Amino acid sequence: MIFLITGTAGFIGFHISKKLLERGDTVIGIDNLNDYYSVDLKKARCQILQEYKNFIFYQFDISNQEMVSSLFKRYPKINYIFHLAAQAGVRYSLTNPFAYIQTNVMGQLVLLEQARQLQHLERIFYASSSSVYGLNKKIPFNEYDRVDKPSSVYAVSKRSAELLSFTYHHLYGLKQIGLRFFTVYGSWGRPDMAYYLFAKAITENKPITLYAGQNLSRDFTYIDDVVDALLSLLECSSLENYEIFNIGNSCQEKVEHLVACLEENLGKKAIINYTSRPDTDIEETLSDVSAIYKVTGWIPKTKLSDGVCQFVHWFLQFQKNKD
Ligand SMILES: NC(=O)c1ccc[n+]([C@@H]2O[C@H](COP(=O)([O-])OP(=O)(O)OC[C@H]3O[C@@H](n4cnc5c(N)ncnc54)[C@H](O)[C@@H]3O)[C@@H](O)[C@H]2O)c1
């Protein structure tokens, strides 16, 4: 099979690309290697993928219509697209809102508009986010819940991308699956996310910042479970032409528990400062994953303590190799 994977130098894109390459599939990867976080980390992920002879990499911006169009002319036999490139991060959208609309909305539109010309395309799987549930109070979040109270431009961009995808399914019959990921973590993870920032600060004896007096909790989802979910969807023969699924761990964890798991695995105590929670960050997330389970039989398997143990193992090794 021929896969196009956008955001292939990113955290999730890297892991799914690697899995498909190991299976012997052809992966065409696109990433603009922007400097939102460490370019060296993105290049290091890419370097691993480039060890596979069935990997082809292009560095360009997915909102560049001409580049996407010429890529599709060069590779008209693409079977599946995993669209994972995005301007990620919730807090950064306070200071850089335009980047989110350009990449996450314009990028989605460019991809859809060009993809409808592909004759061999079976389906597009595209990344959305638990952020679309916004200021909803009902927990756990279910795919049928309302998604009209976003708390950040990031959430707006992800919901807008879902709506564009639905319309391209309606107008042109493009088969698609939207993936609402819940706080994905693990090896080769993102340095802008709390678990990574905390691990780095704890090892460097620097303070970490938690939100005072708040019940901040997240549904932390381990990367291997995410990859399994994607493969189970890929192999599923009973998918509707257009669906959206939550991909989460279905387990709510206090951020303090994340810190305790990191402390235990790093063998060091965190120095904790408290501040107030920014309006962009919702208080709690929890996924209802019964929809994907019903269709594919997938369930998440990794407890936070086990996932953090694996992450820390990678993190320490990676930091050591960097020095
Ligand atoms: N990791 C999570 O916890 C999480 C949670 C919810 C949703 N998501 C979504 O899942 C997807 C993958 O997330 P991730 O954690 O791997 O993020 P990531 O930032 O590690 O990966 C995204 C990649 O896209 C690339 N990119 C950004 N803008 C681009 C552009 N205009 N053109 C080409 N490439 C571009 C970046 O360089 C990066 O390598 C994203 O759509 C993200 O919004 C992730």
Side-chain angles (χ1 to χ4, degrees):
M1 290 288 173
I2 305 176
F3 288 81
L4 172 74
I5 303 195
T6 72
T8 196
F11 171 39
I12 301 175
F14 161 72
H15 280 280
I16 185 67
S17 296
K18 188 162 178 292
K19 186 57 109 186
L20 295 170
L21 290 166
E22 279 162 4
R23 285 188 350 175
D25 293 304
T26 296
V27 172
I28 302 159
I30 305 175
D31 202 297
N32 68 353
L33 300 177
N34 69 29
D35 63 358
Y36 165 63
Y37 65 75
S38 165
V39 177
D40 285 345
L41 173 58
K42 292 180 183 181
K43 284 185 176 164
R45 293 181 187 131
C46 249
Q47 216 172 342
I48 292 174
L49 299 178
Q50 271 158 342
E51 284 165 19
Y52 295 85
K53 62 176 186 343
N54 40 339
F55 180 64
I56 307 155
F57 180 69
Y58 292 94
Q59 182 178 349
F60 65 79
D61 193 312
I62 44 124
S63 63
N64 183 329
Q65 195 155 185
E66 276 169 30
M67 295 300 282
V68 177
S69 167
S70 71
L71 185 91
F72 285 177
K73 283 193 185 110
R74 199 172 315 148
Y75 301 101
K77 294 194 171 163
I78 291 167
N79 303 109
Y80 291 97
I81 297 176
F82 278 97
H83 177 40
L84 303 167
Q87 178 52 61
V90 170
R91 255 161 270 170
Y92 186 69
S93 64
L94 269 179
T95 48
N96 290 280
F98 293 102
Y100 290 77
I101 302 304
Q102 183 61 33
T103 289
N104 303 359
V105 183
M106 188 55 95
Q108 186 97 356
L109 181 60
V110 166
L111 193 80
L112 291 166
E113 188 54 27
Q114 295 303 323
R116 70 189 181 87
Q117 327 286 349
L118 290 171
Q119 300 296 313
H120 297 262
L121 187 65
E122 307 256 357
R123 196 178 282 275
I124 300 175
F125 298 87
Y126 69 90
S128 183
S129 167
S130 59
S131 300
V132 299
Y133 294 110
L135 300 173
N136 288 6
K137 291 283 176 247
K138 183 190 134 289
I139 289 282
F141 298 148
N142 176 282
E143 291 88 342
Y144 290 103
D145 293 341
R146 291 179 68 161
V147 280
D148 53 3
K149 287 185 187 154
S151 67
S152 65
V153 172
Y154 172 66
V156 171
S157 72
K158 286 298 188 184
R159 180 61 187 143
S160 304
E162 288 184 352
L163 295 174
L164 280 171
S165 274
F166 178 81
T167 300
Y168 270 72
H169 151 65
H170 169 69
L171 293 178
Y172 306 112
L174 264 187
K175 292 185 186 171
Q176 292 173 77
I177 297 293
L179 311 155
R180 288 184 181 162
F181 295 128
F182 284 67
T183 318
V184 186
Y185 72 102
S187 61
W188 294 98
R190 268 175 40 202
D192 63 318
M193 291 183 70
Y195 68 93
Y196 199 120
L197 291 167
F198 291 170
K200 190 158 184 299
I202 294 170
T203 48
E204 291 171 0
N205 301 313
K206 290 186 179 153
I208 64 168
T209 306
L210 300 188
Y211 300 136
Q214 304 280 352
N215 278 334
L216 195 78
S217 54
R218 288 286 177 269
D219 188 0
F220 293 103
T221 314
Y222 192 61
I223 184 65
D224 291 3
D225 287 328
V226 170
V227 171
D228 284 349
L230 302 187
L231 293 182
S232 75
L233 287 166
L234 204 52
E235 279 149 23
C236 182
S237 54
S238 55
L239 291 175
E240 300 287 336
N241 288 345
Y242 184 87
E243 287 188 84
I244 291 180
F245 292 111
N246 287 340
I247 314 274
N249 204 38
S250 231
C251 186
Q252 200 171 31
E253 306 274 7
K254 289 248 158 64
V255 172
E256 284 80 0
H257 183 221
L258 168 70
V259 175
C261 292
L262 287 166
E263 287 176 332
E264 190 185 329
N265 284 285
L266 290 165
K268 261 187 178 183
K269 280 282 177 204
I271 307 160
I272 302 177
N273 285 340
Y274 288 94
T275 184
S276 55
R277 178 166 55 93
D279 289 339
T280 47
D281 286 38
I282 52 183
E283 191 164 7
E284 46 181 356
T285 65
L286 178 63
S287 60
D288 173 349
V289 292
S290 53
I292 183 172
Y293 172 71
K294 221 155 130 192
V295 178
T296 67
W298 174 82
I299 41 163
K301 298 190 187 77
T302 314
K303 284 197 313 197
L304 183 63
S305 50
D306 296 338
V308 168
C309 176
Q310 295 188 56
F311 163 70
V312 167
H313 181 77
W314 168 81
F315 174 80
L316 293 175
Q317 197 61 43
F318 186 69
Q319 294 295 113
K320 206 167 104 191
N321 292 343
K322 260 190 356 182
D323 298 336

